[in-house]
Amino acid sequence: MSDTRQPLLRVRDLTVNFGSHRHPLSAVAGVSFDIYEGETLGLVGESGCGKSTTGKALMRIVEPSSGSIELEGVEITTQKGKALRNLRTRMQMIFQDPISSLNPRRRAKDIVAEPLDCWKSVEGDERTALVNDLLSKVGIDPIVYGNRYARQFSGGQCQRISIARSLAMRPKLLICDEMVSALDVSIQAQILNLLEDLKAEYGLTLLFIAHDLAVVKNVSDRVAVMYLGKMCEIGPPDTLYDAPEHPYTQFLLGAALEADPDSPLHGEVLVGEPPSPMNPPSGCRFRTRCPFATDKCAAEEPLLVEMAPGHTVACHYPLSLSRT
Amino acid sequence: MLLGIIIVITVGAFYLIHLLPGDPAVIILGTGDSPANKARLYAQLGLNKPIYEQYFVWMKNILHGNLGTSFISETPVWTTIKSAIPIDLELMVISQILAFAAAIPLAMRSAKRPDGPLDRMLSAGSFTLLSIPAFIAIVLLVLFIAIDLGVPHTGPSSYVSLGSDWIGNLESLALPSFVLAVGSFVVYYRVLRSDLIATLQEEFITMARSKGISQRRIMWRHALRPSSVALLGTAGVNIGGLLAGGFIVQYLLDIPGLGYTLISAIGYSDYLVVQGIVLVVAVGVILINFVFDFIINIVDPRISRE
Amino acid sequence: MSNSYFVNELVEEATTQTTPERKKRLGVLFWICVGWLALNVLGAIFANVLPLQDPLYQNYSIINAGPSLHHLFGTDDLGRDIFSRIVFGSRVSIEVSLGSLLIGFGIGAPLGMLAAYRRGKFDSLLTTVMYMFLAFPAIIATIAVLSFWTPRSLLKIIIVVGIASIPLVYRVIRTATMNIATKDYVIAAKVQGATDWRILGRELLPNVAPIGVSFLLIGIATVITLEGSLAFLGLSVNPPTPSWGNMINESRTILQQNPWLAIFPSLALCLFLLCLNFIGDRLRSHFEVTEGKL
Amino acid sequence: MSLTPQLLVVKDLSTTFDTPAGPLAAVGGVSFDLNQNETMGIVGESGSGKTVLARTVMGLQPRSKVTVSGSVLLNGFEVVGASDVEKQKIWGLQVAMIFQDPMTSLNPVMRIGRQIDEILRVRLGMDRHAAKARAIELLELVGIPSPAERYHVFPGQLSGGMRQRVVIATALAGSPQLLLADEPTTGLDVTIQAQILNLLDEIKERMKMSVILVTHDLGVVATRTSRLIVMYAGRIVEMGSTRDVFVNHRMPYTRALLDGSPKVSNPSHTRLLAIPGRPPNLLKLPPGCSFAPRCSFATDRCHKERPELQPANTPGHTFACWNPLPTNRGASA
């Protein structure tokens, strides 16, 4: 499945450091990936692994320290002022906390119209019609609910309004940052189905960031796994979930709980906790918790290597080699 | 930061006089204006030198404990101030002890049942007290208690120094301390009450309850400390304001503290005394704030970690 | 008591669903207080037109008189009508408080919002400077400046008090803005391509304003008290211009002969403050601003 | 102490909050029992009343603005109607609770050792040294490295997983017979969640406790509980052995919960079974089955009459539905 298509988004060696010069915190440490038009790339990892920071760096909500981000061949990291604001409308982002993503003192239809008003792209009746259409598309009745304030909606409804707002400027790329993790199971299913429908209708490309492995698998065409600011493994969901190459991916899958009383009580549980990003381990960042780690892992940082077409892994000792 | 503040204060106090229109010598000398005094002033402050040099001369004097000599009373300014400071300290300590002693238990009672009858009563009371400035409180108290009811030794001009008779001293300070304490109490009560109510809704309080610990212990051991950050911050700021509020109280009741001295100095246009008091009070307020910041850091380990 | 947050959560779940917006009521007392303040302000504005006696007219035939039909609140030691002096005196309190807070908010609030939104060097520099001034007790500075900046006038008082209030306003507004600037909806607005000015005006201002208004009310009460204190030190407007503080100060020496001269202005001042405090408190709970934030 | 094998007997328990908007029925007519050394799960979405139920069982609901009726017999002690002072006798020593958010359930300004040994000193009258030694033992038991040093740290200096271990240690300090765990792993990462759940299992066996595991995540209870309660709008809608509830469930809502969540074993882009609408307003519950407005099988009767729990084929398995799903469907899809 090696792709000859031009990627919609091309990220190379993206690095984000926080904190002062004396106490740097390496949140994202040289991450590279591509997203092709029309696909959904799932990005999983535990809290603090840098997946959200990656998403925010793509939008330049946090400033990348180095690296390159190209959207449709245009370099984003060097843009400024109006050009940057304009580029942001090509990409959009949906946040984790549905309630806090909407200004409580504004009305639903004004929130959806905000991007239109910022750019004065459509006005008057056309604007009203577009806003009403967007609200109905996400399942919010514009006549009944359009004039309500954001604070009067429940979490699921807020997330629907956020989606409507993000679609107003017809973006190419939608970054979903943990967009369903604050929602209840039954609402989560509604939103995920809605997202799939809208993706088809609007021809969207998605970067779906989440910690829930099952949710990510459900929506993704490819899945990327991050640990402590580094990319561990990228591959198609079926192979990655069935035959992971990186030990971390395997542990992550082993810890995921299935809603099935017959699922085997998982085998080995990963011990310890991730080290501090203020002081990351040398070489492979996972080596401190990895049962297979050797001296080589401490000395040399593993690079992403293609194991199979479209399946790359950053590990000196990929699991398929040890299996055989 | 602290150094910066001290520079701002000293520069502020020093240039106060130059910011104002008119000849500084005339302003400083005020009613003590005579050619001889003028010559002495020029010599003392080096008024003919450039302004920044004047500042360094003045700073050097201050660091040697020399705030100048008043041209009106002909006594060193520091001597005048030194005799007034203990009175202010005493007033402050007594009134703060009273205010905290009343505010903490009452705020706890209120927070136990917000909107309960006791809370409503205390809230209404605190509102009323909040709306009575110290100077009105004094006037009204003097009018109703001291005069009408004939309570002794609370009338004007009855200050007894601590050294001569400590009971008499406490009695003479009873009314001013009370007025200042009430002013502080209202503020402390309200801040602590609202923070306690918020703290009591925290999960860790439920956790403490689930351990089977008594209500009383939960209040004092679990709820008070995390609720007291805003209280201590307010107290730090309030004590600065208290010095000022204390001015009026002292002035009205003829208690020879800093406030009284300041106001009389303003009356005589004794600029050097005013400048000295401004400096001393400003430094005092900063030290108090500093101490309170320090206490807050100890009380709440979350703050120092940020 | 404890875990009642949890009940709130349930109620929120339940009420956000089908019930349309329930208006939070401010209560009758709130509107009585607003009415009283409005009456005071109107009185101050139209004092010249109202059928009041000249507040400066000295009628030596009735000095230190108690309340009567002719002199509702009695007369002072110079035979001036206390009622009319109170009405005219409110002008000083209102002018000083509004004027100085106009300066304080006009300079402090935009700076505070900008610093909190922009962050970076601009913020750290400005904040350091403001905090230095904040450490300098404002009341002492005010007293010191006013005592030597002669002749005193209303305008000078307004300028000095106004400048002294800038760092306070700055701090409150900056903290409030910072809490809001980190919310997702501000980031979301940025993502939509909104300009900084649009974000400041549309997203931040409406959410900072309630805290600003609450603080403004507290500020007015504080400045009115301050003016009264200055009057006691003879640092407010010069007599014979009436001000509440001046009147109470004048009453001090003749407290026994004429308690009315102390009681009525005190009452006027305290009632005014009470109404301000009450309105402030109601608005704070209405906007869910906690006292610690101010 | 008690001769009955049941540690906990709950009968017709209702909790109603008195809110400004009217009475809110958070828990309505719930009955169940729990055996010694058993782990039971309570699942439901937010607002289903599962957390209120857990707190009411312990008697931890707020004192004012709430009406509790029915009966909770905990080891022979009637919790409903007891005063706080009476309940304080069983709290911590017979029943303890673990809360959802380890970030907020520890006092941020108290050293963690103090929070653990408080119960030992105040309730069990241990002296300071003995209590400290026991607290360090407990910290070690819950898997905190270098416990003697950690005894002195503040909660803010620990990670979420470590804090939850401290919370567990605090709950264990009084050696309770019943542990109520309210969403104990919700805020934690998957690998840490697995560690904490394993720890709870281990401790339960070691200390011979019964555990009630309250969660919204069916994955958490699937392999770790023997019995399961499914709640919806404050009521039990299905109850039985975990296997029965997962495999032979009769209530459509249970199926919706199971099929609405994505599974790792499903292929990508599996269409989820999403039930429309949202949970009902607890302030004005519909007269019939609370789930009826969202249920595709609902009939007139469902909208008018509330179904009571009725037995299914397997003993101990009950469900509340007028139009139950057919039995013997084999493993659920």
Side-chain angles (χ1 to χ4, degrees):
Chain A
M1 208 174 93
S2 66
D3 247 298
T4 48
R5 289 177 289 165
Q6 267 299 84
L8 178 74
L9 185 84
R10 199 181 127 93
V11 179
R12 288 294 172 272
D13 279 325
L14 179 69
T15 309
V16 182
N17 292 325
F18 291 129
S20 60
H21 283 290
R22 263 194 299 165
H23 303 285
L25 187 154
S26 142
V28 180
V31 163
S32 304
F33 59 92
D34 294 327
I35 304 181
Y36 297 98
E37 183 138 9
E39 76 165 350
T40 301
L41 176 69
L43 188 55
V44 274
E46 295 179 282
S47 57
C49 72
K51 57 187 190 302
S52 278
T53 310
T54 304
K56 287 184 175 137
L58 298 184
M59 295 292 311
R60 294 268 308 271
I61 297 169
V62 300
E63 280 303 309
S65 309
S66 66
S68 122
I69 306 165
E70 278 177 27
L71 180 74
E72 296 177 302
V74 181
E75 179 61 45
I76 292 177
T77 50
T78 53
Q79 302 288 331
K80 279 198 186 86
K82 194 170 179 187
L84 172 64
R85 291 197 292 115
N86 210 338
L87 251 174
R88 278 181 179 150
T89 63
R90 312 287 302 139
M91 300 186 284
Q92 279 297 308
M93 190 159 186
I94 297 170
F95 301 89
Q96 170 169 13
D97 181 355
I99 310 281
S100 117
S101 335
L102 306 182
N103 187 339
R105 292 185 203 280
R106 300 192 70 183
R107 294 172 195 278
K109 60 176 193 195
D110 293 336
I111 289 171
V112 175
E114 174 70 14
L116 306 173
D117 296 347
C118 283
W119 295 98
K120 305 259 182 304
S121 52
V122 288
E123 279 165 323
D125 290 346
E126 206 186 330
R127 170 181 171 277
T128 317
L130 182 56
V131 169
N132 287 352
D133 178 52
L134 283 165
L135 278 172
S136 339
K137 283 260 161 63
V138 297
I140 302 276
D141 186 339
I143 312 297
V144 181
Y145 295 105
N147 278 322
R148 290 217 187 153
Y149 286 99
R151 57 167 187 272
Q152 293 170 271
F153 291 100
S154 71
Q157 288 173 314
C158 282
Q159 211 57 302
R160 288 171 187 270
I161 296 169
S162 283
I163 295 174
R165 171 176 62 185
S166 69
L167 294 178
M169 294 300 285
R170 290 253 172 187
K172 298 291 280 185
L173 178 69
L174 198 57
I175 299 171
C176 307
D177 186 4
E178 298 271 13
M179 69 177 286
V180 294
S181 50
L183 303 176
D184 269 321
V185 177
S186 66
I187 310 296
Q188 175 179 306
Q190 294 170 7
I191 298 286
L192 287 175
N193 285 345
L194 175 70
L195 191 70
E196 291 275 34
D197 295 344
L198 292 173
K199 183 193 165 194
E201 187 174 344
Y202 284 78
L204 293 167
T205 305
L206 298 182
L207 174 61
F208 193 93
I209 302 168
H211 68 276
D212 187 322
L213 289 151
V215 169
V216 168
K217 186 181 183 189
N218 193 279
V219 298
S220 304
D221 300 307
R222 285 192 304 142
V223 174
V225 183
M226 273 183 89
Y227 181 79
L228 209 63
K230 292 275 187 194
M231 205 58 99
C232 297
E233 187 167 4
I234 307 178
D238 295 327
T239 42
L240 189 132
Y241 279 63
D242 290 341
E245 290 288 358
H246 199 287
Y248 176 64
T249 314
Q250 193 182 36
F251 277 109
L252 205 57
L253 285 164
L257 299 168
E258 274 287 68
D260 177 3
D262 296 322
S263 70
L265 254 175
H266 22 266
E268 265 182 289
V269 169
L270 197 54
V271 290
E273 302 198 348
S276 159
M278 303 275 260
N279 187 18
S282 65
C284 174
R285 289 192 167 190
F286 184 58
R287 71 170 166 86
T288 50
R289 298 169 80 192
C290 182
F292 313 116
T294 63
D295 291 347
K296 188 184 177 192
C297 299
E300 254 179 78
E301 192 189 319
L303 301 172
L304 272 174
V305 181
E306 190 157 53
M307 300 297 295
H311 191 173
T312 52
V313 62
C315 180
H316 292 309
Y317 307 102
L319 293 170
S320 65
L321 295 185
S322 58
R323 272 189 210 110
T324 52
Chain B
M1 182 79 185
L2 192 65
L3 194 72
I5 292 167
I6 287 178
I7 290 171
V8 168
I9 287 171
T10 52
V11 170
F14 178 75
Y15 283 109
L16 200 55
I17 193 112
H18 297 280
L19 293 172
L20 306 172
D23 182 359
V26 175
I27 299 176
I28 292 178
L29 293 172
T31 51
D33 191 3
S34 74
N37 275 344
K38 202 162 176 172
R40 222 178 76 207
L41 178 73
Y42 269 79
Q44 187 183 327
L45 295 181
L47 275 181
N48 37 11
K49 290 180 192 158
I51 278 187
Y52 64 91
E53 250 179 72
Q54 295 178 29
Y55 172 72
F56 287 119
V57 171
W58 181 74
M59 270 304 283
K60 214 171 101 187
N61 284 337
I62 289 179
L63 291 177
H64 289 98
N66 177 8
L67 288 170
T69 302
S70 163
F71 289 87
I72 287 128
S73 62
E74 299 286 343
T75 49
V77 172
W78 178 236
T79 314
T80 315
I81 292 177
K82 208 164 61 182
S83 65
I85 287 178
I87 300 171
D88 283 85
L89 284 180
E90 202 188 337
L91 267 180
M92 202 186 299
V93 170
I94 297 175
S95 64
Q96 292 305 294
I97 289 175
L98 287 176
F100 277 109
I104 293 173
L106 285 177
M108 282 182 175
R109 283 291 175 87
S110 276
K112 220 166 166 176
R113 285 198 188 280
D115 286 328
L118 187 79
D119 180 44
R120 275 166 193 272
M121 213 176 71
L122 283 170
S123 288
S126 75
F127 251 128
T128 317
L129 291 176
L130 193 66
S131 311
I132 302 178
F135 57 89
I136 291 186
I138 292 276
V139 169
L140 294 182
L141 280 174
V142 168
L143 186 66
F144 290 114
I145 298 174
I147 311 303
D148 285 6
L149 304 179
V151 176
H153 49 65
T154 42
S157 187
S158 60
Y159 175 71
V160 182
S161 75
L162 187 62
S164 60
D165 170 12
W166 67 273
I167 295 175
N169 168 266
L170 283 183
E171 280 175 349
S172 68
L173 290 181
L175 183 58
S177 310
F178 175 72
V179 171
L180 293 179
V182 169
S184 302
F185 157 77
V186 174
V187 179
Y188 299 165
Y189 163 78
R190 294 183 61 82
V191 169
L192 184 58
R193 172 190 171 270
S194 86
D195 277 6
L196 268 176
I197 290 174
T199 304
L200 288 176
Q201 308 211 349
E202 297 267 0
E203 196 81 317
F204 66 80
I205 295 294
T206 318
M207 172 94 184
R209 278 183 75 201
S210 81
K211 289 195 273 187
I213 289 160
S214 71
Q215 181 69 34
R216 205 183 148 76
R217 195 180 161 93
I218 287 175
M219 271 288 181
W220 286 94
R221 290 296 181 92
H222 289 263
L224 180 60
R225 201 168 141 185
S227 313
S228 52
V229 171
L231 174 71
L232 289 169
T234 313
V237 175
N238 179 57
I239 290 176
L242 200 69
L243 278 169
F247 285 4
I248 316 281
V249 174
Q250 290 176 12
Y251 173 60
L252 287 176
L253 297 174
D254 270 354
I255 292 163
L258 281 175
Y260 182 83
T261 316
L262 176 76
I263 293 160
S264 8
I266 290 174
Y268 298 127
S269 301
D270 195 345
Y271 177 77
L272 287 181
V273 173
V274 175
Q275 191 187 43
I277 291 180
V278 168
L279 194 66
V280 167
V281 171
V283 170
V285 167
I286 285 161
L287 288 180
I288 288 168
N289 277 323
F290 206 68
V291 168
F292 271 91
D293 279 349
F294 186 69
I295 298 177
I296 288 173
N297 278 326
I298 293 175
V299 165
D300 195 336
R302 286 171 294 186
I303 289 168
S304 52
R305 225 178 295 116
E306 267 169 20
Chain C
M1 185 200 69
S2 50
N3 68 23
S4 69
Y5 84 97
F6 178 72
V7 183
N8 293 343
E9 202 172 273
L10 278 179
V11 176
E12 213 168 291
E13 271 293 319
T15 47
T16 47
Q17 295 183 7
T18 40
T19 30
E21 187 176 19
R22 276 181 62 240
K23 282 260 179 254
K24 273 191 258 179
R25 293 183 62 88
L26 289 161
V28 186
L29 257 175
F30 176 85
W31 293 110
I32 292 176
C33 285
V34 171
W36 178 252
L37 290 190
L39 197 71
N40 270 272
V41 173
L42 287 176
I45 294 172
F46 297 110
N48 288 328
V49 197
L50 293 173
L52 291 169
Q53 292 168 36
D54 182 352
L56 303 181
Y57 173 71
Q58 306 180 351
N59 182 354
Y60 290 102
S61 58
I62 33 164
I63 59 166
N64 291 335
S68 66
L69 256 182
H70 196 61
H71 297 284
L72 273 179
F73 289 175
T75 57
D76 68 3
D77 54 334
L78 297 172
R80 296 173 295 196
D81 180 56
I82 295 180
F83 180 73
S84 113
R85 282 181 73 75
I86 285 178
V87 175
F88 276 90
S90 69
R91 284 182 163 186
V92 175
S93 295
I94 292 168
E95 279 172 38
V96 170
S97 54
L98 291 186
S100 55
L101 289 170
L102 194 70
I103 297 176
F105 270 81
I107 297 171
L111 284 180
M113 276 186 75
L114 215 57
Y117 178 64
R118 272 283 151 101
R119 306 306 305 270
K121 280 189 187 124
F122 173 71
D123 176 42
S124 48
L125 189 75
L126 195 62
T127 305
T128 311
V129 171
M130 287 289 183
Y131 273 57
M132 281 177 187
F133 281 103
L134 209 57
F136 200 95
I139 182 142
I140 310 282
T142 314
I143 291 173
V145 173
L146 283 176
S147 52
F148 291 97
W149 197 9
T150 47
R152 281 180 277 283
S153 72
L154 200 61
L155 186 67
K156 283 179 188 169
I157 297 172
I158 288 175
I159 290 173
V160 172
V161 176
I163 290 176
S165 70
I166 292 174
L168 274 171
V169 176
Y170 173 84
R171 184 178 63 176
V172 169
I173 299 293
R174 177 174 171 272
T175 316
T177 312
M178 250 170 19
N179 286 335
I180 291 156
T182 50
K183 289 253 158 61
D184 279 347
Y185 60 80
V186 176
I187 301 171
K190 214 183 262 183
V191 168
Q192 311 309 323
T195 58
D196 288 348
W197 292 114
R198 197 181 164 89
I199 291 173
L200 280 168
R202 294 278 176 121
E203 312 291 337
L204 294 177
L205 190 61
N207 289 291
V208 173
I211 296 171
V213 169
S214 308
F215 186 62
L216 181 71
L217 290 166
I218 295 176
I220 292 176
T222 313
V223 173
I224 288 178
T225 313
L226 181 66
E227 188 276 327
S229 310
L230 290 173
F232 261 74
L233 308 181
L235 294 176
S236 186
V237 287
N238 290 324
T241 313
S243 94
W244 291 343
N246 275 348
M247 293 175 76
I248 300 167
N249 188 27
E250 283 159 15
S251 76
R252 249 183 333 119
T253 46
I254 51 162
L255 218 46
Q256 286 93 331
Q257 296 102 301
N258 188 359
W260 308 114
L261 187 51
I263 289 172
F264 285 117
S266 298
L267 213 59
L269 186 66
C270 291
L271 262 181
F272 200 83
L273 293 180
L274 188 65
C275 288
L276 277 173
N277 285 329
F278 188 78
I279 292 173
D281 190 64
R282 272 295 149 94
L283 285 181
R284 275 200 298 280
S285 65
H286 187 74
F287 294 133
E288 283 151 16
V289 179
T290 56
E291 214 138 333
K293 282 187 194 157
L294 299 175
Chain D
M1 287 201 284
S2 161
L3 289 173
T4 51
Q6 264 107 19
L7 178 67
L8 178 73
V9 183
V10 176
K11 276 213 180 80
D12 201 25
L13 185 68
S14 297
T15 310
T16 308
F17 290 104
D18 178 22
T19 74
L24 184 146
V27 174
V30 166
S31 305
F32 66 92
D33 47 34
L34 181 72
N35 296 324
Q36 306 270 11
N37 207 14
E38 183 184 14
T39 304
M40 182 155 84
I42 300 180
V43 285
E45 296 180 286
S46 58
S48 64
K50 57 189 191 304
T51 298
V52 181
L53 174 61
R55 286 180 195 220
T56 313
V57 162
M58 197 171 168
L60 256 185
Q61 74 284 355
R63 270 165 307 209
S64 53
K65 294 174 183 168
V66 63
T67 325
V68 178
S69 65
S71 152
V72 175
L73 265 182
L74 205 159
N75 222 350
F77 177 87
E78 177 57 62
V79 175
V80 176
S83 72
D84 265 20
V85 177
E86 287 165 339
K87 283 186 283 192
Q88 274 165 18
K89 291 190 188 111
I90 61 155
W91 285 346
L93 300 184
Q94 296 198 24
V95 53
M97 195 157 187
I98 301 172
F99 298 87
Q100 173 172 358
D101 187 355
M103 299 296 162
T104 58
S105 55
L106 289 174
N107 191 332
V109 302
M110 215 175 186
R111 293 177 198 280
I112 61 162
R114 280 305 169 93
Q115 305 196 38
I116 298 171
D117 68 19
E118 185 176 32
I119 190 166
L120 300 171
R121 298 200 294 154
V122 177
R123 303 291 308 286
L124 299 175
M126 279 184 164
D127 70 59
R128 218 149 56 93
H129 293 287
K132 183 175 174 181
R134 175 74 185 138
I136 291 173
E137 243 176 73
L138 284 162
L139 282 172
E140 195 164 10
L141 179 74
V142 296
I144 289 186
S146 46
E149 284 105 76
R150 294 290 167 85
Y151 179 91
H152 296 286
V153 305
F154 288 102
Q157 289 159 270
L158 297 176
S159 70
M162 284 296 156
R163 284 192 221 190
Q164 198 60 301
R165 287 172 192 268
V166 173
V167 173
I168 294 172
T170 313
L172 295 180
S175 315
Q177 286 158 287
L178 173 62
L179 186 64
L180 293 160
D182 182 7
E183 303 262 14
T185 58
T186 299
L188 303 175
D189 278 320
V190 272
T191 56
I192 309 296
Q193 166 169 288
Q195 292 174 2
I196 296 287
L197 289 173
N198 284 355
L199 173 70
L200 276 175
D201 270 358
E202 206 180 292
I203 280 165
K204 180 209 151 214
E205 286 309 319
R206 208 154 143 176
M207 302 189 70
K208 298 274 172 270
M209 287 188 303
S210 299
V211 176
I212 293 182
L213 196 55
V214 178
T215 180
H216 70 280
D217 187 346
L218 285 158
V220 169
V221 287
T223 51
R224 295 176 191 276
T225 56
S226 53
R227 278 195 299 148
L228 205 55
I229 287 175
V230 181
M231 287 191 75
Y232 187 77
R235 293 185 167 269
I236 294 180
V237 292
E238 188 150 13
M239 172 163 66
S241 73
T242 305
R243 164 164 297 277
D244 279 338
V245 173
F246 270 94
V247 183
N248 299 319
H249 48 262
R250 308 290 305 275
M251 173 71 192
Y253 175 68
T254 311
R255 191 178 82 167
L257 264 188
L258 280 164
D259 292 354
S261 48
K263 288 180 188 57
V264 173
S265 50
N266 287 353
S268 295
H269 301 293
T270 306
R271 188 83 185 170
L272 298 167
L273 185 132
I275 40 172
R278 289 179 297 145
N281 187 340
L282 292 174
L283 289 168
K284 32 183 173 185
L285 285 172
C289 170
S290 305
F291 187 60
R294 303 170 79 186
C295 181
S296 51
F297 305 100
T299 58
D300 271 1
R301 190 180 188 197
C302 300
H303 289 286
K304 285 184 190 130
E305 255 180 276
R306 192 170 58 215
E308 295 299 327
L309 281 174
Q310 51 176 300
N313 298 355
T314 335
H317 181 193
T318 52
F319 60 91
C321 185
W322 294 126
N323 298 303
L325 301 168
T327 48
N328 303 326
R329 284 162 299 124
S332 85

